Amino acid sequence: MKHKRKFAAAAAGATIAPLLMVALPASPASAHGYISTPPSRQANCAAGKVSNCGQIIYEPQSVEGPKGLKSCNGGLSQFASLNDESKNWPAASVGNSVNFTWTLTARHATSTWEYFIGSERVAVFNDNGAQPGATKSHTVNLGGRSGRVKLLAVWNIADTAMAFYSCVDLQVGGGGGTTTTQPTTTTTQPTTTTTRPTTTTTTTTPPQSGTWAAGTAYTAGSTVTYNGGSYRCLQAHTALAGWEPSTTPALWAKN
C-alpha cells in the first residue's frame, strides 16, 4: 500500500512539473528605450510638461512597433496621443547640429538607428548587431533647416522585426545671433570714429534723412532725429533693430 502511495505521488509530481513550465515561461528578451535629450514627446509627457498624454506617462520607453513605420506612437493605439499635433508640444531650442541621447531601460542587439524629418532620412548609424549601453548618443546634422521641425528617431532591433519610435520637437536657430555679434565689430573702431566728426562737418553739408528707422541704409554724414535728438551718421550702414542712434556711439554722434 505504501509503494502505491509513493508511485501516485511521483506520478502527480510528473504531471505538475510541465504545468509549472507552462505557467512560468521564460520571458523573451525585450528592449526598451526613448530619446531623453532633447526631450522627446514621451519624455515630456512623463515629466508632466504636456497634459492628457494617457498611458505613455508611465512607460515612455515602450513605444515598440514593426519596423518601417513613420508614426510617433509606433502604431500603438494606447499611445495615440503622441500623434496628436493639436497638443502644445514643447520644442527644444537647438542649432543645426544636434546631439540626441537615448535612455535604454533594457538593452538589445541593434541593427541601425535612423533619424527622419518628414519622409527624408537625415541620418543613419549602423551598430551591426552590437548591444548598446544604458545610454546611446548620436550627433545629427539637420541639413541647414531652420524654424520648428518634428524629428522621428527609430531604434531598429537586430534580431526581431520590431523597432522603437521617438518623436522630438525642435526649434532650429534662434534668429538673434546677428544683433549680438555685429556690434562688437563696430566697437573696435572708436579711435577712427572720433577723428571723423571734424572732417565730416567741415567738408560736406550733412544730408537730412528724417527720423531714424530700422532697415534704412544710411551714408556717412547723414543726420536723423531720434527720440527728440539729432544724430549724425559716422559710418555707412543699414540700420537694424537694437542699433538705435542713442545706443551705438560707434555709428552715430549726437549733434
Side-chain angles (χ1 to χ4, degrees):
M1 188 66 177
K2 291 182 179 179
H3 291 294
K4 289 182 179 180
R5 289 177 181 172
K6 291 181 179 179
F7 179 80
T15 58
I16 291 172
L19 291 176
L20 291 176
M21 292 178 65
V22 172
L24 300 172
S27 299
S30 59
H32 296 89
Y34 65 103
I35 288 183
S36 52
T37 308
S40 58
R41 289 189 173 184
Q42 54 257 60
N44 279 319
C45 283
K49 295 182 179 179
V50 181
S51 60
N52 300 319
C53 286
Q55 188 176 335
I56 192 64
I57 65 175
Y58 305 111
E59 45 182 332
Q61 73 279 4
S62 298
V63 185
E64 181 182 20
K67 292 176 181 175
L69 301 181
K70 294 294 186 293
S71 60
C72 298
N73 72 330
L76 300 172
S77 59
Q78 66 267 37
F79 301 144
S81 61
L82 296 175
N83 293 339
D84 187 353
E85 300 302 333
S86 69
K87 286 188 176 295
N88 188 26
W89 298 110
S93 181
V94 297
N96 217 255
S97 181
V98 186
N99 187 65
F100 294 95
T101 298
W102 290 77
T103 293
L104 309 178
T105 60
R107 295 172 285 169
H108 203 26
T110 302
S111 58
T112 58
W113 311 80
E114 297 179 290
Y115 294 84
F116 296 87
I117 295 178
S119 59
E120 181 183 354
R121 187 173 72 176
V122 295
V124 59
F125 302 88
N126 194 336
D127 276 13
N128 296 306
Q131 184 180 27
T135 61
K136 186 74 174 183
S137 296
H138 304 110
T139 299
V140 176
N141 190 295
L142 302 182
R145 290 174 171 81
S146 62
R148 188 181 178 106
V149 300
K150 181 180 73 175
L151 177 139
L152 170 66
V154 184
W155 175 22
N156 292 303
I157 307 308
D159 51 4
T160 75
M162 307 300 281
F164 285 82
Y165 296 86
S166 201
C167 278
V168 187
D169 296 279
L170 304 170
Q171 183 67 38
V172 186
T178 55
T179 58
T180 57
T181 56
Q182 287 179 331
T184 58
T185 60
T186 60
T187 55
T188 60
Q189 301 174 350
T191 56
T192 307
T193 57
T194 53
T195 60
R196 289 183 181 179
T198 55
T199 57
T200 301
T201 55
T202 56
T203 57
T204 61
T205 301
Q208 298 293 320
S209 300
T211 303
W212 181 91
T216 303
Y218 292 105
T219 59
S222 298
T223 61
V224 298
T225 57
Y226 180 76
N227 282 350
S230 176
Y231 295 85
R232 182 177 66 260
C233 178
L234 302 179
Q235 300 184 58
H237 67 282
T238 298
L240 298 175
W243 290 8
E244 290 79 4
S246 60
T247 60
T248 52
L251 299 177
W252 297 95
K254 191 169 185 179
N255 291 326

